Amino acid sequence: MNSQLQKQILVGAVAGIVVAALVFFLLGGKRSDLAATRTDITTLQAAVDKGKLLKASYEKLREEVAKEDKRIEALVKIMPSEADYGEVPYRIKKLADDAGIDQTSFSLLPERKTTYYTEKPVAFTFRVGYQTFGQFASLISGYDKIINLSNIEMTRANNSRSLYPANVKCTISVFVYNVETPPPGPGGKQPGAAAPAPAH
């Protein structure tokens, strides 16, 4: 009886081992698939996280660009136009009169063009008092458009009894926004560019 029981136990153990081996063998590929799936999920999650980060960066960049566009738009509004430039000598004469100085002459100087604006300087000479020229400079700083006062040369007047004890030479520059940059000519060449020599 004991021998019969031992045989049954042995057969059961062998059968269990065989079943376990079969299960291990049959599920081996599934385990590989599961590991690969987990790797894919990790990679996909990393891609999603990267996409979210890029989207956040894009939104922030778009906001910054919008802010810069508004700043540039506001700046362009206070830059003089061509019409303003034509009125500058008369506007400056009015400011000089308000400050109590005498504008004696003005002359246009060569322009300096950049990509976005053109600097248009005008040379002025004045007869001034020291305090009145300071008042004039203050009025220039409060001008409603962007202009610049530079190259100030002040000399004492020859006549000490004159109402204006000093003479001033200076440059007042107007910065006109370039509304449109000229497009290149045909074939992507700038207007006036020399054509290539024909091949022989």
Side-chain angles (χ1 to χ4, degrees), residues 41-96:
I41 290 173
T42 302
T43 303
L44 183 60
Q45 185 62 49
V48 169
D49 292 342
K50 183 178 179 181
K52 289 180 179 178
L53 183 61
L54 288 174
K55 182 180 179 182
S57 299
Y58 168 75
E59 294 294 339
K60 184 176 181 181
L61 181 61
R62 188 169 65 175
E63 289 177 6
E64 291 297 326
V65 169
K67 288 179 183 177
E68 287 302 313
D69 285 344
K70 288 182 180 179
R71 287 182 64 248
I72 291 172
E73 185 180 348
L75 188 61
V76 168
K77 286 181 180 178
I78 62 174
M79 292 185 77
S81 64
E82 286 287 348
D84 293 324
Y85 170 64
E87 296 177 0
V88 162
Y90 310 102
R91 298 282 298 273
I92 296 301
K93 177 67 168 67
K94 176 67 167 57
L95 294 180

Side-chain angles (χ1 to χ4, degrees), residues 32-33 53 73 89 98 108 123 127 135 140 143 145-146 152-153 159 188 198:
S32 299
D33 291 346
L53 183 61
E73 185 180 348
D98 291 345
L108 305 181
R127 295 188 302 161
Q135 183 179 353
I140 288 288
Y143 196 80
K145 298 289 184 179
I146 298 177
I152 300 171
E153 297 179 15
N159 184 357

Side-chain angles (χ1 to χ4, degrees), residues 1-17:
M1 191 69 178
N2 288 337
S3 176
Q4 186 68 23
L5 181 60
Q6 287 178 353
K7 286 180 181 181
Q8 289 178 353
I9 292 173
L10 182 60
V11 170
V14 171
I17 292 172

